[in-house]
Amino acid sequence: MIELIGLVPLIPLVSSIILMVFGAKLSRLSIGVIGVGSVGIAALITAKIGAEFLINPEIYTLSLWTWMQVGSFSPGVSFYFDGLTLVMMSVITGVGFLIHLFSTEFMEEDSSYARYFSYLNMFVAAMLILVMADNLLLLYLGWEGVGVCSYLLVGFWYQNSSNGYAARKAFIVTRIGDTLMAVGLFLLFTELGTLDIQSIGDIAKNKWQVGDNMPLIVCLLILGGAVGKSAQLPLHTWLPDAMAGPTPVSALIHAATMVTAGVYLIARTHELFLLSPIAMTIVAIVGLATSLMAAFTALTQHDIKRILAYSTISQIGYMFLALGVGAWTAGIFHLMTHAFFKALLFLGSGAIIHCLHHEHNIFKMGGLRTRMPVTFWSFMIGSAALAALPMTSGFFSKDLILLQAYQAEGIGPWLWFGGLVGALLTAIYSFRLVFVVFFGQINTEPDKTTGWRMSIPLSLLCFLALLGGWIIIPVNQVFPPAIFKHPSHWIEYISIAVPIIGVIIAYLVFLGKQLNLRFFLDIAFIQKLQRFWFSGWGIDWLYDQILVKPYYNIAKSLKQEPVDNFYGFIVNVSQALNRWLSSGQSGQMRRYITSMVFGLIVVLIILAGTL
């Protein structure tokens, strides 16, 4: 059965092409069956392959053909299957299938139904190629493919110019990281002579020593690509604006799969990072700083999707923190559990937006607990997992990250403390969202109800968000064994207590109203701080001032550059000569003969002078 692994990305790709070519002639039912069914079949094949792998965990490579031959460089279209590949394929096809099913109801009134599913299926195919690739060149093909699909889906409703701006911003900002990654691949090939993922680690360990400068440079370039795709500081600004796309797109691409590609890249190239302790420390610091920045920003947002967007940035920061301290398994474990509960929250927000006249402002909602019970419980379970309350899926993965961060050499306790602050803020903003949207007085009455195509994905994701933490991911053969000594019990007790304290604070402030912060929030400094956080710490403003506006000013000044004036002069002279010569074409034979005779006389005089 494992020989069928090549069909997993092929089936969604073929369905995408079919919908592109024949979508206008197909009924909505046919479009839904093709779009959802193709991902469902890919999920079934993945499940069958996974079952065989768990019984006999044998690493498998499928080489289809040689992609190109340039001297000794002959990368192939080949797939590599191990425990890490299985985890990523399961998330992409499993969660992807549920989101596709949800989309059939969410997008059923949209006029571009076929175009939507063709883009979505193309994304699934590209993401599968990314995680299944046996070499970094093929991985880069999938990497750029998901970037293109993200651009198409963020700007899906292109009739609104702001959506087009958000799509361009996502494409351009992530290109910065992609360029750094491409330079890293060139450097890797120059130094090691191969881009084969499995060979790179062995060759690098034989050629470089731990702490050498070359692995540090390579790892920082790879980190640049990961930072761009996974929306980490300083290239995170595209993700909140990417919420302009349809909500199921946000659930699949900008929460569950594509934004975790950077985490997968670092995990897959972990042997290179193990040669550079400095690079790993930088990964941890970037992850922690991003997590705290995004958590503070999420506290102040009003748009339900932007809250979840900043939450995604923050949670991916936790994954980077895990990778940076060598907790490889914990980072991938959190990637999986995060896909469950964040897809659940995004689809839940999609159900709310779908039923509330496309309202996004949480303070214009309220009282939806009784009106939308399935969505309410989805948000309760998803928020509990996001806040890492005990026995939810998020608890197991985040607790494991914090405990292993505490044991990191040098700055481990500081990383642990920063992670705790992030966990506290996460619990507060998660249940702020729940209490404001589902409790209190209703401000917008729903005009629709969720059908079974929305309710079933929400219910299954609720189950995974609750019990997904009990899944044992088969990555022991992929990563080196973690040196884990259980810290003192008070460290673990604090890690468990902090999210609970955050939920209590959220209750006292936003639901019970026992804590009245009005006086505190009226302080001028606090208001300025709140506006600063609301703006995303002013990073977008900073980029506008130092990059965007100067670029536009230079472009405007070059519209009338001297070179253009020089070429404009040549054009004017040519046009004047053309008009003068054209005036001689009068059509009068007498004038033509006269000019010919005059010319002949001039030629004869010149010849006579030369004799």
Side-chain angles (χ1 to χ4, degrees), residues 5 9 59-67 73-82 85 89 126-142 185 188 194-201 264-265 268-269 271:
I5 188 174
I59 296 174
Y60 182 79
T61 301
L62 175 65
S63 297
L64 298 178
W65 64 83
T66 299
W67 185 0
F73 181 55
S74 56
V77 177
S78 55
F79 301 131
Y80 181 81
F81 186 84
D82 62 1
T85 311
M89 289 175 63
M127 190 68 196
L128 286 168
I129 291 172
L130 190 159
V131 301
M132 295 168 61
D134 188 38
N135 61 80
L136 289 173
L137 187 62
L138 185 60
L139 183 150
Y140 195 73
L141 175 68
L185 298 188
L188 266 177
T194 182
L195 290 179
D196 182 75
I197 295 174
Q198 309 313 313
S199 301
I200 282 175
Y264 169 79
L265 175 65
R268 181 56 83 187
T269 57
E271 292 180 322

Side-chain angles (χ1 to χ4, degrees), residues 50 53-54 57 82-87 471-478:
F53 181 81
L54 294 177
D82 62 1
L84 178 57
T85 311
L86 174 60
V87 172
I471 298 174
I472 299 175
I473 57 175
V475 294
N476 293 334
Q477 295 178 325
V478 180

Side-chain angles (χ1 to χ4, degrees), residues 129-180:
I129 291 172
L130 190 159
V131 301
M132 295 168 61
D134 188 38
N135 61 80
L136 289 173
L137 187 62
L138 185 60
L139 183 150
Y140 195 73
L141 175 68
W143 188 274
E144 290 300 311
V146 297
V148 171
C149 294
S150 176
Y151 167 78
L152 294 172
L153 287 163
V154 170
F156 181 77
W157 289 315
Y158 58 86
Q159 297 86 351
N160 187 333
S161 60
S162 62
N163 295 342
Y165 172 80
R168 292 192 300 274
K169 182 178 180 180
F171 192 77
I172 293 170
V173 173
T174 54
R175 290 293 76 71
I176 298 171
D178 295 354
T179 302
L180 293 174

Side-chain angles (χ1 to χ4, degrees), residues 55-123:
I55 296 172
N56 181 24
E58 182 179 351
I59 296 174
Y60 182 79
T61 301
L62 175 65
S63 297
L64 298 178
W65 64 83
T66 299
W67 185 0
M68 63 182 75
Q69 181 77 46
V70 183
S72 61
F73 181 55
S74 56
V77 177
S78 55
F79 301 131
Y80 181 81
F81 186 84
D82 62 1
L84 178 57
T85 311
L86 174 60
V87 172
M88 297 302 298
M89 289 175 63
S90 300
V91 169
I92 295 166
T93 58
V95 176
F97 169 73
L98 296 177
I99 294 173
H100 273 68
L101 179 60
F102 184 96
S103 297
T104 58
E105 183 172 342
F106 186 88
M107 299 292 292
E108 64 181 349
E109 297 178 2
D110 196 280
S111 59
S112 300
Y113 199 63
R115 180 166 63 91
Y116 171 81
F117 279 104
S118 68
Y119 291 169
L120 213 59
N121 283 15
M122 188 194 305
F123 166 80

Side-chain angles (χ1 to χ4, degrees), residues 567-582:
Y567 286 114
F569 172 76
I570 294 176
V571 170
N572 292 333
V573 171
S574 300
Q575 290 177 339
L577 288 172
N578 175 263
R579 286 192 296 270
W580 180 70
L581 292 172
S582 298

